[in-house]
Amino acid sequence: MLQIESLIADRPECVILDMRRIHDMDSTGARLLIQLNETLAASNCSLALAGAEPGSRIEAYTRESGLAAALTRRKVFEDLDHAIEWAEDQIVAKHGEAGAADADEFPLGKFDLLAGLDREQIDAVAHYLTLVSFDAGTVVFKEGDEGFGALLISGGVASVTLHQLDQQRPIRLVTFSPGTVFGEMALLDGEPRSATVVADTDLECHALSAAQFERIKDEHPRIAIQLLSNLASEARLRLRRANRLIFELEH
């Protein structure tokens, strides 16, 4: 508890307590959490609980002790993913629109996909890209859709979700912001999409289709080699993040 209160000096906007490893809680614990909620609220910080699965002892106790009422039910979540999604929504709602309105388009030369290319090579790649846009709430592509190529986000935010057979609501894996490339595996294997991507805000992207990528290979082999090297580096990083996510979901 003292560790959480010490965070106040850093002026956090949201604090999430993961309750998955807590199997029981007494009235003293509930009072401490209610007091912590009041302390954080005085510093304009919201407290949320995760891991209160429906039907669990913790979920029942949050209701019976008045803890859920103190936090309000919308801040008590069945799992950590939904709690993090809520926290991100709070932050985006407070800061996102103003920041997006003032933000310039993300420069093409700063994308990791184009790392190692000089200005002339970047301009050459630009000729193979197509500008595409998606309205907020639009499904960019769905899990299982045919892979048409990669998308480089120059403006806006999108979320990646994955359907699980044992859950009605898909889990959110990650949120993409300007400078992110997604869907790039379609350039390598042509397999169906492995997840669903939804535009959280109006989304502006540069699209590189598989057909255009093949043209780059034929017409600019040195550029293609660098792009493939960058794709391999990104795939390695995402594999490591996926391993961490799997570990977190299982524990």
Side-chain angles (χ1 to χ4, degrees):
M1 195 70 66
L2 293 175
Q3 289 179 323
I4 297 173
E5 291 180 341
S6 69
L7 294 175
I8 295 177
D10 296 328
R11 303 183 65 83
E13 296 187 26
C14 299
V15 170
I16 300 171
L17 295 184
D18 188 351
M19 311 287 284
R20 287 178 296 176
R21 297 181 184 275
I22 298 177
H23 302 292
D24 204 355
M25 183 169 54
D26 59 18
S27 59
T28 301
R31 285 199 301 273
L32 285 173
L33 289 178
I34 291 173
Q35 291 172 4
L36 176 62
N37 179 57
E38 294 172 350
T39 300
L40 293 174
S43 299
N44 296 314
C45 178
S46 296
L47 176 66
L49 302 182
E53 298 182 5
S56 68
R57 294 182 66 179
I58 289 297
E59 187 272 338
Y61 195 78
T62 59
R63 288 186 285 103
E64 296 166 2
S65 66
L67 181 58
L71 272 67
T72 72
R73 288 184 182 274
R74 64 186 180 86
K75 296 181 184 176
V76 179
F77 301 90
E78 61 182 276
D79 56 43
L80 187 59
D81 179 67
H82 290 158
I84 292 175
E85 183 177 3
W86 164 83
E88 290 177 344
D89 287 344
Q90 303 306 302
I91 295 172
V92 169
K94 184 174 181 180
H95 304 287
E97 291 184 3
D102 297 334
D104 295 327
E105 179 179 315
F106 194 89
L108 189 60
K110 290 189 176 182
F111 281 92
D112 289 341
L113 178 61
L114 305 184
L117 301 181
D118 60 30
R119 186 68 258 174
E120 183 178 349
Q121 291 172 320
I122 292 171
D123 290 341
V125 172
H127 289 297
Y128 297 91
L129 302 176
T130 303
L131 291 175
V132 294
S133 60
F134 304 90
D135 293 334
T138 300
V139 175
V140 179
F141 55 71
K142 295 184 296 184
E143 183 178 350
D145 283 353
E146 180 180 355
F148 55 80
L151 292 166
L152 295 71
I153 301 179
S154 59
V157 178
S159 288
V160 184
T161 63
L162 184 65
H163 178 71
Q164 288 188 310
L165 295 178
D166 59 343
Q167 295 187 15
Q168 292 184 349
R169 179 177 176 177
I171 62 170
R172 186 190 54 79
L173 300 178
V174 68
T175 296
F176 290 151
S177 58
T180 304
V181 179
F182 66 95
E184 71 279 3
M185 291 306 295
L187 300 177
L188 303 177
D189 58 20
E191 294 294 318
R193 300 298 192 186
S194 58
T196 297
V197 176
V198 178
D200 296 331
T201 65
D202 290 345
L203 198 64
E204 300 291 333
C205 302
H206 301 281
L208 176 61
S209 69
Q212 291 295 76
F213 189 51
E214 290 301 318
R215 284 189 58 194
I216 293 177
K217 290 180 183 179
D218 293 337
E219 300 170 9
H220 301 278
R222 290 187 179 181
I223 292 177
I225 290 172
Q226 185 62 50
L227 294 179
L228 287 169
S229 176
N230 293 340
L231 285 171
S233 296
E234 181 62 23
R236 183 172 63 252
L237 291 173
R238 290 191 180 179
L239 179 59
R240 289 177 179 172
R241 288 197 293 268
N243 287 337
R244 288 199 298 268
L245 176 62
I246 292 171
F247 178 82
E248 291 171 0
L249 291 175
E250 290 180 345
H251 295 80

